[in-house]
Amino acid sequence: MAITYEGKNKRWFLETENMGYVFGLDEKGKLKNLYWGSKLPRFDDYPGVNDLVVMDRYTWNDEFSVRGEKNNVEHCLKVEYYDGVRDVVLNYVNFEIKGDQLIIKLLDEQYGLSVKLFYRLIEKYDIIERWVELENNSDKEIKIEDIKSASLYVENSKKASLNYLTGMWGSEFHLRKEKINEGSKVLESRVGKTSAYMNPYFAIDYEATEERGKVYFGELAWSGNWKISIQKRIYERIGIISGINEWDFTYILEPSKKFITPKFVFGFSNEGFSKASQNLHHYQLDYILPQDKAHKIRKVLYNSWEATTFNVTEENQKILAEKAAKIGVELFVIDDGWFGQRNDDHAGLGDWYVNKEKFPNGLKPLIEYVKSLGMDFGIWVEPEMVNPDSDLYRNHPDWVINFPNRPRSLQRNQLILNLARQDVKQFIINFMDKLLTENDIDFVKWDMNRHIFESGWSETEVKKQREIWVKYIWNLYDIWKYLREKYPQVTFENCSSGGGRVDLGIMQYADQVWTSDNTDPFDRLEIQEGFSYAYAPKIMMGWVTDWGGKEAYPLEYRFHSSMMGSLGIGADLNKFSEKDFEIAKNQVQFYKEIRKIVQEGYQYRLSSVTNERYFAVQYLNEDKSEGVIIYLRNPMRFGLFDRVNLKLKGLEDEALYTIYEGVKDEEKEVITLSGKALKERGIIIEDSSKKFLTYGKIDHFFSRILKVKKISNNIK
Ligand code: DGJ
């Protein structure tokens, strides 16, 4: 049994394949966290309530810490009761095991606040989901000032390092690593969405490598303001708390009402970062992404944004569509500019009718044409936004988030609709319904291009105005849920100025995400590398574009960079030469041959673009019979070398593998070796440093993509 309760010592054991997580009741009936780490052979091997070392007079071990009860460390729950009391006193009531779930019930009896802690075990991937449900069982309102999803603890050691993802627009998901010192480190967003600045992911390790060492990691499933705080004192353990950001937040919990937090998903790997991210990837595919499409292959898409920007017309899109079809594209997506008076980013957002000058006969002729070429049709929308220069804003100036008597600040010339309002929610549902029922649409790219600043909601009672931050997100999720259920044929891509809203919350509704507006094939590698720590390759859409000018990178390099996840093309195909078309066709065909392994397989980082002269990634299918290696040079790191020795990973020692290059029917064998030899001795990539002498020229950038195939189970 994965969840076990031991009555004698009042302990709960949550065990997955390789991880143990234990908490118990102390003599006063308080819930104390006891252990998180490698699974141990016997229950008796795990610590008991008195086994933690007491320093500074306290241990730091509340399984669900509250503001109150002599607790002055970071807490999960802070409320104010009707009489001004702000100390929460929670006592254990009972527990329930329901299949893979454990529910612990706690109660603040005097004030009727019931707290249920939920744990769901994902045994195969060494992951636990935690969330909390508050219920007001009194007849008075309870003001929630802070409610986090979970507190966790890891060993306090000088070796402990924190890994997290940070950046900004155009450079999202940059991986940082730093020693954890005394004090608090806060990862958070306060802009109303997940944000490009930080992503709700953390990992703590103790000098772990890709293959070795302990890695504790977690992700919050929330697309609004979030927080992960890591706190170190002199105590035996380091505390980690995560959930909705308490900044500018309060919530009035009315009698008999519930509040459910987002899930904090956490896991443990005893085999370094590679296993940690592989487990997260497969957990996302099996448990987070909408399951109707989670295991379906992502189509190769073409998006016309970088080619035509706002200047879309029926005619120019048809020309691009025809060219896209020629290279094997399966889905044609028209981006911004098709609606209202949307000729640039100053006007039109909110007016979701087809622009008659650009599409005199509506979207149908284009859609039919795209379909006649054998492709699916996709469209861009940005439903949460409005330009002041739009009919929507002229008719409903009160629909935008604002504080009365204060300026309404613009970002990208737009304001944000208050999606916490039911009428705004209904407006979005109505226009999306109209768009999707009147047109044969297979794919929606849902964009969101600004932050929330003046977070006012003056139409609601003052005491409830700060609920805007969560009600906005709940309504957003409701809309996505509604659309998915009503239009099961539609694939949804989530975008927010690139990767500004990438998290497990939105991934419960979106099939894939637009990773970054930065489509430079080299600069993007650091983004893609960081992304790989936290999210599955299949979710990551990357386009082949003309970024930096057509002469900056070989077309192959651009393709190979984008093939690390789900492949898209965004280049201006009107500028393609015959040779470019030939290369592109060949690369698309190649991608179709390997995409199942890339999208569904196990990803191994063979090197880091920030440390090495090259970036290499390997993918392997479940039974280790087929793989892919993508190699891209990092020419920003000088070094005199002619060859690179790549050591492969994950292969079966005793099996025989052949490495091939090229599309089917034209495959050329590179080498045949045992799995063990490929891992120990590796393969050689001919990559002469003499090419550095071409700095500033196109062959400064070099890449290679190889297929790995098992040809025999046994070398003998
Ligand atoms: C921002 C997105 O990230 C881009 O891909 C593009 O869709 C533009 N918005 C369109 O305005």
Side-chain angles (χ1 to χ4, degrees), residues 169 303 305 310 335-336 342 380 382 412 445 447 449 495-498 514 516-517 543:
W169 174 76
N303 180 303
W305 170 245
F310 300 97
D335 210 279
D336 201 346
R342 185 77 169 160
W380 177 97
E382 192 179 1
R412 208 192 186 208
K445 175 179 173 187
D447 205 347
N449 284 305
C495 168
S496 181
S497 309
W514 177 227
S516 177
D517 280 347
W543 303 341

Side-chain angles (χ1 to χ4, degrees), residues 530-669:
F531 189 97
S532 77
Y533 279 80
Y535 303 108
K538 181 182 226 168
I539 299 169
M540 181 177 81
M541 170 49 60
W543 303 341
V544 174
T545 68
D546 310 317
W547 190 291
K550 257 173 71 38
E551 296 313 315
Y553 301 98
L555 191 48
E556 289 89 342
Y557 192 95
R558 294 189 249 156
F559 265 100
H560 296 163
S561 167
S562 293
M563 283 189 200
M564 282 179 58
S566 290
L567 176 67
I569 297 162
D572 185 352
L573 300 178
N574 295 320
K575 298 196 181 121
F576 264 34
S577 64
E578 271 317 304
K579 175 100 194 300
D580 290 338
F581 276 113
E582 210 181 288
I583 295 171
K585 199 172 160 198
N586 189 276
Q587 293 296 329
V588 170
Q589 185 187 332
F590 188 91
Y591 180 72
K592 287 179 181 168
E593 290 170 19
I594 60 156
R595 69 176 154 186
K596 185 148 175 45
I597 305 166
V598 171
Q599 294 182 12
E600 295 264 301
Y602 290 78
Q603 187 187 42
Y604 297 85
R605 290 172 291 265
L606 302 185
S607 79
S608 164
V609 71
T610 56
N611 300 328
E612 311 268 2
R613 298 166 308 190
Y614 60 92
F615 185 39
V617 206
Q618 183 197 318
Y619 302 79
L620 205 56
N621 66 355
E622 176 109 49
D623 68 8
K624 299 171 186 286
S625 62
E626 281 190 81
V628 178
I629 305 157
I630 304 180
Y631 173 95
L632 295 122
R633 185 198 286 165
N634 171 1
M636 298 306 151
R637 282 185 184 266
F638 192 82
L640 286 176
F641 62 98
D642 287 321
R643 295 150 176 209
V644 168
N645 182 205
L646 266 194
K647 303 223 163 84
L648 306 194
K649 291 185 181 172
L651 303 173
E652 284 170 26
D653 285 353
E654 299 288 308
L656 209 56
Y657 292 90
T658 298
I659 312 283
Y660 296 94
E661 193 157 29
V663 291
K664 222 160 134 190
D665 303 331
E666 289 169 29
E667 272 167 1
K668 278 196 224 98
E669 182 179 333

Side-chain angles (χ1 to χ4, degrees), residues 418-427 457 471 475 478:
N418 184 356
L419 191 45
R421 291 172 58 129
Q422 291 309 310
D423 47 5
V424 170
K425 175 180 172 184
Q426 201 50 52
F427 161 77
W457 183 7
K471 289 192 165 155
N475 276 347
D478 279 357

